[in-house]
Amino acid sequence: MSSTPQKRAVRKSPAERAAEITEAARGIALETGLTALTLRNVAARVGVASGLVAHYQPNMEALVSSTFATIVAAETQEIAGLLSQLPGPSERLSLLVDTLLDNSRLDVTAIWVEAWTLGRRNEALAASVREQMDAWQKVFRGVVEDGNATGAFNVSDAAAVAWQILGMVDGLNAQALVRWDGVNDRGSHLARAVEGMVGAAPGSLVANPAQ
């Protein structure tokens, strides 16, 4: 009897294979979570032996950390680009609140929540989480400081207010993961709360005010 020959993995350059493994890890994390990042799962996604993945990623904790950073930093950069297209701090802060509470981004929220938990025992991941949180706080702080400079806002400590807003966004998004409807239209409610925190004109940060 003739046997079916085993399909061999296509030979690729080290750079191509490393990029393929990185993208596979990203896809698994977004679809299933950071805890699903194992040698076996990544190898199956790429279509190679686990040993080959281990050759490129010998430390799975480091792979979890870098995958988290890749996913989160991409969102930060995307939204920073959107902010740069808006004319003033009120419009930018409104977009930040509204966009970050968009349910279409809950896959990234799930990555954040999982990383906060896993980071307790994975110091590389914890360091990455702190770095990415600092990056988001910097985005919020910059918008608040711009508002102070233009007179749109009145804040004595922009850094502290940025942390407070970021914490509120994170909390509401975490609640949304379990589909809790404790507050309907959470974006508008948060926008009104943030207006008070930064001293903005009432209704100026509500993305879609009632007509």
Side-chain angles (χ1 to χ4, degrees):
M1 294 178 63
S2 62
S3 60
T4 302
Q6 186 176 4
K7 184 178 180 180
R8 293 184 178 181
V10 176
R11 184 179 297 276
K12 296 184 178 181
S13 71
E16 289 175 325
R17 187 64 77 189
E20 191 176 42
I21 291 171
T22 297
E23 182 57 28
R26 177 183 173 278
I28 291 169
L30 285 171
E31 293 169 16
T32 318
L34 293 173
T35 55
L37 288 179
T38 65
L39 282 176
R40 178 177 295 181
N41 287 343
V42 175
R45 175 68 67 100
V46 177
V48 298
S50 297
L52 183 60
V53 175
H55 172 74
Y56 286 93
Q57 295 288 344
N59 186 331
M60 290 306 294
E61 287 192 349
L63 177 60
V64 170
S65 174
S66 63
T67 301
F68 163 80
T70 296
I71 291 170
V72 172
E75 183 182 51
T76 309
Q77 293 167 6
E78 174 201 349
I79 294 180
L82 296 175
L83 294 178
S84 67
Q85 301 173 29
L86 297 177
S90 293
E91 292 87 351
R92 291 197 287 274
L93 189 52
S94 175
L95 180 137
L96 267 175
V97 171
D98 185 60
T99 302
L100 290 179
L101 292 180
D102 184 345
N103 285 338
S104 69
R105 297 179 180 274
L106 289 181
D107 55 349
V108 180
T109 295
I111 293 292
W112 271 108
V113 172
E114 199 173 9
W116 288 324
T117 300
L118 296 177
R120 296 177 62 195
R121 294 178 176 82
N122 179 342
E123 181 51 39
L125 177 59
S128 184
V129 170
R130 292 191 294 267
E131 181 180 351
Q132 296 304 322
M133 289 177 69
D134 285 343
W136 266 120
Q137 192 262 1
K138 183 178 180 180
V139 172
F140 275 94
R141 187 183 70 227
V143 173
V144 173
E145 288 175 344
D146 287 347
N148 270 345
T150 62
F153 305 153
N154 181 16
V155 175
S156 60
D157 189 341
V161 168
W163 276 124
Q164 292 167 358
I165 299 172
L166 185 57
M168 294 165 70
V169 168
D170 287 338
L172 287 170
N173 276 335
Q175 293 169 4
L177 287 176
V178 293
R179 298 168 296 282
W180 183 56
D181 292 327
V183 177
N184 293 323
D185 192 13
R186 56 199 177 101
S188 295
H189 280 276
L190 179 58
R192 293 188 179 95
V194 172
E195 287 169 1
M197 294 169 65
V198 301
S204 62
L205 301 184
V206 179
N208 297 296
Q211 299 297 321

